[in-house]
Amino acid sequence: MQVQVSIDSLYRRHAPRVLATLIRRLGDFDAAEEAMHDAFAAAVSRWPEEGVPDAPVAWLIRVGHRRGIDQIRRRQTARQHAHLLMPDEGEAEEARDIEDDPLRLLFTCCHPALSMSDRLALTLREMAGLTTEQVASALLQRPASLAQRIVRAKRRLRNAGIPYEVPDAAELPTRLPGVLGVIYLIFNEGYSSSDGERIVDVRLADEAIRLGEALARLLPQGEVFGLLALMHLHHARRGARQDARGELVPLEEQDRRRWDARQTQAGLAWLERALALTPTAPYTLQASIAAVHAQAESAEATDWRRIVMLYGALQQRQPSPVIELNRAVAVAMHDSPEAGLALLEALAEHHQLVDYHLFHAARADLHRRAGHREAARHAYERALALTVQQPERRFLARRLAELEAGDGPPRSTEENSHVVDTP
């Protein structure tokens, strides 16, 4: 039983690494996946009697490679694949290649030749090690459709001759943002699930952080650190975002004692490393905003002036109507609801915000704070019509009911308006 537990743990932790090396050695996603599963099956069969080897990952790679070569020979293509019959061990260069293989796989899964949907699905399947059914559930797709999407993405990579490599120094600055964007999109998928009662899909958020940490080990760059800081600081609040009944709790009402102090400290540590290298890069700026919330002892003690300044810097660096929305809410919190509303009204016709429920939720909140009951009611109704996540719908419905009853103090929607931002 103990050996079985070890194999299960090893699979969860290292299957993507084993797969990455087998893809490089065998030159084919599907052959590598089959060989990897054969290797783990061999471990299940042999390790209970033989014991766990001293270097289990190397053992799995070696067995998987041999099984893959056997597959190729059985398919009578050994001549075309003779270059794959490489030594299994003992070469320093091969050891370095194995260490870099997860990075190769990540950049391949996130190649710009693929659509963003394909990159997301392929990264979750190949790098995060989720099953097709798990990826389909996370992305709210049918398993059969998701499987076909992954097959087509692999075929596109193969037919386009996409090299299985880490971009060189000249190309890396243009490729890295796409990889970071996919990781953050996976994280945000964990905070925007529309199925049932969940606000947070912890599995997806955790996988995104794990991918980010793996990338940081292999590619220690400032914006990688900044993204990790951002994800850790947001994820630290996950336990306070819903109450015991599953109802959404906005930031200013959250019990900060329920925030994960260890994860907050990890986020602040990553931010310190990022600020030393890329103080004005987008993810680092967003992490700096999250850090202001994390370091405030209470909602009332939040340094809104600094948040306004940081959103201004972020808007200059990465112009976006969603960032302008967040800045407007911060201005309202620092100055007055009317000041924030003036900025929001200037965005009202922007095509990216017309059907964005958080824009209308923010307008509703600020109109309520300003005492504009009728305008607030219309904005709440519009936000409610556009919202699909059940806890958010109930939250907005409660606010609308309180407004119509004339009950309750003003409340902020700032928590929702920035936590689910996509890069």
Side-chain angles (χ1 to χ4, degrees):
M1 179 60 70
Q2 187 61 43
V3 171
Q4 183 61 50
V5 171
S6 298
I7 293 172
D8 290 344
S9 175
L10 194 71
Y11 186 89
R12 288 193 298 270
R13 291 182 56 202
H14 296 299
R17 181 179 174 186
V18 174
L19 177 63
T21 296
L22 292 176
I23 291 173
R24 173 174 57 82
R25 288 187 168 195
L26 300 174
D28 182 85
F29 272 88
D30 294 330
E33 285 185 359
E34 187 175 347
M36 179 191 70
H37 289 300
D38 284 348
F40 275 98
V44 169
S45 173
R46 293 169 54 180
W47 289 4
E49 293 185 4
E50 300 175 6
V52 179
D54 292 336
V57 172
W59 188 97
L60 289 162
I61 291 172
R62 183 167 62 252
V63 171
H65 180 235
R66 289 172 177 168
R67 296 292 177 92
I69 294 302
D70 289 342
Q71 294 167 17
I72 292 171
R73 285 173 172 154
R74 285 197 299 271
R75 292 165 187 163
Q76 298 181 339
T77 56
R79 183 173 302 171
Q80 293 93 323
H81 293 79
H83 63 286
L84 299 174
L85 303 177
M86 63 176 69
D88 282 321
E89 52 191 326
E91 295 184 8
E93 183 176 350
E94 175 63 10
R96 287 193 298 270
D97 283 340
I98 290 175
E99 190 67 26
D100 289 343
D101 281 333
L103 198 56
R104 291 186 178 92
L105 179 56
L106 183 58
F107 273 92
T108 301
C109 290
C110 299
H111 197 279
L114 301 175
S115 69
M116 183 56 77
S117 296
D118 288 346
R119 295 180 219 173
L120 186 61
L122 200 59
T123 301
L124 284 170
R125 179 67 183 86
E126 309 300 341
M127 273 301 300
L130 302 185
T131 66
T132 300
E133 290 74 18
Q134 288 172 327
V135 177
S137 173
L139 301 184
L140 303 180
Q141 297 180 21
R142 293 187 299 111
S145 299
L146 192 281
Q148 285 302 309
R149 174 179 290 280
I150 291 174
V151 168
R152 287 194 297 269
K154 292 176 181 177
R155 185 183 303 130
R156 189 171 297 115
L157 290 172
R158 183 173 60 250
N159 293 344
I162 301 301
Y164 188 65
E165 63 185 16
V166 179
D168 60 25
E171 191 182 2
L172 189 61
T174 61
R175 290 285 305 280
L176 181 58
V179 173
L180 297 178
V182 169
I183 293 174
Y184 194 34
L185 186 56
I186 291 172
F187 182 80
N188 277 324
E189 286 289 332
Y191 277 87
S192 59
S193 174
S194 60
D195 61 332
E197 298 298 310
R198 293 180 301 171
I199 289 178
V200 182
D201 184 337
V202 174
R203 177 186 58 193
L204 278 183
D206 285 343
E207 285 297 342
I209 290 173
R210 187 185 66 79
L211 287 172
E213 290 177 342
L215 182 59
R217 287 192 296 271
L218 297 165
L219 199 66
Q221 297 204 3
E223 265 292 71
V224 181
F225 301 155
L227 176 58
L228 268 171
L230 177 62
M231 293 191 294
H232 273 291
L233 290 169
H234 280 326
H235 206 39
R237 301 203 294 260
R238 67 190 181 280
R241 286 170 56 85
Q242 281 180 287
D243 63 20
R245 297 173 300 169
E247 302 301 337
L248 185 150
V249 182
L251 178 61
E252 66 180 355
E253 297 177 25
Q254 289 178 13
D255 181 354
R256 299 186 177 215
R257 292 170 299 181
R258 297 185 63 193
W259 291 3
D260 187 328
R262 182 178 299 179
Q263 196 145 43
T264 295
Q265 289 305 312
L268 294 175
W270 283 114
L271 178 59
E272 183 176 357
R273 296 179 67 182
L275 287 170
L277 299 173
T278 54
T280 62
Y283 289 117
T284 302
L285 286 170
Q286 291 180 68
S288 297
I289 294 167
V292 175
H293 290 295
Q295 293 172 310
E297 294 184 358
S298 65
E300 294 74 22
T302 303
D303 187 350
W304 287 105
R305 179 177 178 276
R306 177 163 174 76
I307 290 177
V308 170
M309 180 192 71
L310 288 167
Y311 271 127
L314 182 60
Q315 177 64 18
Q316 287 185 338
R317 183 66 185 266
Q318 190 180 44
S320 160
V322 175
I323 293 173
E324 290 187 58
L325 162 62
N326 292 328
R327 182 177 180 277
V329 173
V331 167
M333 299 299 290
H334 179 252
D335 294 334
S336 68
E338 290 81 2
L341 281 169
L343 295 174
L344 287 183
E345 293 309 316
L347 300 172
E349 300 304 318
H350 197 288
H351 70 279
Q352 288 183 269
L353 299 180
V354 169
D355 294 325
Y356 186 41
H357 71 283
L358 295 179
F359 172 73
H360 298 284
R363 290 179 73 188
D365 181 75
L366 296 189
H367 276 302
R368 177 178 179 168
R369 289 175 181 274
H372 309 154
R373 296 177 61 84
E374 190 63 17
R377 182 175 67 81
H378 284 300
Y380 273 127
E381 289 174 346
R382 178 63 174 156
L384 193 56
L386 294 169
T387 303
V388 295
Q389 192 182 69
Q390 290 304 314
E392 286 190 348
R393 288 185 58 81
R394 292 196 300 270
F395 173 81
L396 292 170
R398 288 198 308 274
R399 293 297 179 258
L400 181 58
E402 290 172 358
L403 178 72
E404 293 177 340
D407 295 334
R411 295 176 172 91
S412 169
T413 59
E414 196 273 343
E415 160 78 351
N416 289 327
S417 69
H418 75 267
V419 166
V420 296
D421 281 359
T422 52

